[in-house]
Amino acid sequence: MGITRILIANRGEIALRIHRAAHEMGIETVAVHSTADADAMHVRLADHAVCIGPPPAGESYLNHASIISAAEVAGCDAIHPGYGFLSENAKFAEIVEAHDIIWIGPKPEHIRTMGDKVEAKRTAGALGLPLVPGSDGAVRTFEDAKAIAQEIGYPVIIKAASGGGGRGMKVCESEDRLETLMSQAGSEAKSAFGDATVYIEKYLGNPRHIEFQVFGDGNGNGIHLGERDCSLQRRHQKVLEEAPSPVISDEDRTRMGEICAQAMRDMAYRGAGTIEFLWEGGEFYFIEMNTRLQVEHPVTEAITGVDLVREQIRIAAGKPLSVAQDDIEFKGHAIECRINAEDPFTFTPSPGKVTYYHPAGGMHVRVDSGLYAGYSIPPYYDSMIAKLIVYGRNREGCIMRLRRALDEMVVEGVKTNIPLHQELLHQPDILEGDYSIKWLENWLKERETGE
């Protein structure tokens, strides 16, 4: 089955990224957009564009009926959801396939399984992925929670089964707080996700966030493309990502990568996925799997030379993986900075008109962005406006190039977090690769208080 016209069910830089990959494959694109995005770059460059509703995402980018109607009216034979929005919505994936449209993503059953954190953990354990010690599924009563916490030892973390973004998470240091925090986590989860189910895990004190990029063809073949280190986070939101990780050995990369790839073979997984781990003391602990393309996929592309979006499209069209595991070589180092329209240190969003824009350039510098001078950044969506990706022969050279690229990049008319990245790349811990998922928030607190 061939793909001739793709509807891109997303916006911003990822919509533009998909458009470019499709055009390089000779495939036409259809951009859907809200009224707020009528002048967006991906809309301007697409072969066709369809307005699907007003600015609120629930009335446009999350509107199943509008997107399916646009695909049918525009004669699309495939839909690519990008990331966010509907990319991990199993019901929408099923609706797409029920309309005889190709879903450029994993099988709906895999999206559903990995979207439920309790079921994902159970499945991961069955597939041989190392788990954080904790409850074997949902915890329904305080007595069960107390028994589990006593067994694995405090501190523990209570998590929402359907959660994400840090909501429905509570760290408990001792038994006398367990019942209260369990109730609070359940209430937050119910409010945010409509599901009060929680589970309990051992709380790791100072871990790193390491994720492995995987791919499957849906027929039992699977590969990994190495790991990314995404430990620089604020409120569980990634700020900077790099590949490879400064702390993972070649031996551990090969060992864990093969475990992840084998899991994809056993699942008969289709398309792109990311298996995320916490890493501490040389040990990996599974936390979740994202059944979609990641924001930070370009750093993997930089060190492997594999176009991940192109691979997604090929596999969705029924073709086999274009590379075998033995074909993949990891060369050099890559770092991605997420450029957001926000105050660099208070993180207050800064939508508005871009009066001047000059992207960084030069050898091994990539900017994924839909920005242009005169473009008005709408206030309705995520504040990320660009991704700056830099490659170097080694980590030191990559950082030097990234410093230069950040100095060269100019976005005027709105505030951006470029100054934050510039400061980070002069911190000794960052230069030495010695940081954890708690490092950035601790550093920001120290910077604010002057301690």
Side-chain angles (χ1 to χ4, degrees), residues 41 51 121 223 309 332 339 355 372:
M41 185 61 77
C51 181
K121 184 177 178 181
I223 60 171
V309 178
I339 308 300
T355 56
Y372 59 88

Side-chain angles (χ1 to χ4, degrees), residues 223-240:
I223 60 171
H224 77 90
L225 292 100
E227 87 285 357
R228 298 182 288 258
D229 197 318
C230 306
S231 302
L232 275 180
Q233 302 179 11
R234 174 184 171 270
R235 296 183 178 176
H236 303 280
Q237 299 297 314
K238 299 166 186 174
V239 173
L240 177 152

Side-chain angles (χ1 to χ4, degrees), residues 337-340 357 367-369 371 384-388 409:
C337 292
R338 299 190 184 197
I339 308 300
N340 298 335
Y357 174 59
V367 177
D368 281 15
S369 176
L371 283 190
M384 190 176 73
I385 53 173
K387 300 185 311 198
L388 174 60
M409 190 161 180

Side-chain angles (χ1 to χ4, degrees), residues 209 229-234 237-242 395 421 424-425 430 435-441:
H209 181 129
D229 197 318
C230 306
S231 302
L232 275 180
Q233 302 179 11
R234 174 184 171 270
Q237 299 297 314
K238 299 166 186 174
V239 173
L240 177 152
E241 304 98 350
E242 60 181 312
R395 189 171 186 270
H421 288 295
L424 289 176
L425 290 172
I430 303 301
Y435 58 90
S436 71
I437 60 172
K438 298 180 179 180
W439 187 94
L440 181 56
E441 288 191 342

Side-chain angles (χ1 to χ4, degrees), residues 209-221:
H209 181 129
I210 306 293
E211 60 186 34
F212 278 80
Q213 177 71 58
V214 291
F215 252 96
D217 66 2
N219 297 308
N221 299 307

Side-chain angles (χ1 to χ4, degrees), residues 402-443:
L402 182 53
R403 283 179 178 174
R404 186 272 299 167
L406 284 165
D407 290 344
E408 189 177 303
M409 190 161 180
V410 180
V411 182
E412 293 182 353
V414 297
K415 292 182 178 180
T416 76
N417 64 343
I418 290 175
L420 170 64
H421 288 295
Q422 290 172 316
E423 278 203 34
L424 289 176
L425 290 172
H426 285 85
Q427 301 307 308
D429 287 345
I430 303 301
L431 299 182
E432 294 166 12
D434 183 18
Y435 58 90
S436 71
I437 60 172
K438 298 180 179 180
W439 187 94
L440 181 56
E441 288 191 342
N442 290 338
W443 178 79

Side-chain angles (χ1 to χ4, degrees), residues 358-367 389-391 401 404-405 408:
H358 177 77
M363 188 173 183
H364 297 311
V365 174
R366 167 179 168 181
V367 177
I389 307 103
V390 168
Y391 173 83
R401 179 169 287 147
R404 186 272 299 167
E408 189 177 303

Side-chain angles (χ1 to χ4, degrees), residues 234-284:
R234 174 184 171 270
R235 296 183 178 176
H236 303 280
Q237 299 297 314
K238 299 166 186 174
V239 173
L240 177 152
E241 304 98 350
E242 60 181 312
S245 168
V247 298
I248 304 302
S249 67
D250 291 342
E251 293 75 18
D252 278 349
R253 177 177 304 108
T254 300
R255 176 178 65 86
M256 281 305 304
E258 179 52 33
I259 290 173
C260 292
Q262 187 59 50
M264 297 304 96
R265 296 174 199 132
D266 292 342
M267 288 176 70
Y269 187 80
R270 182 185 73 199
T274 301
I275 303 178
E276 304 199 353
F277 298 92
L278 292 179
W279 180 92
E280 189 171 74
E283 298 294 330
F284 291 86

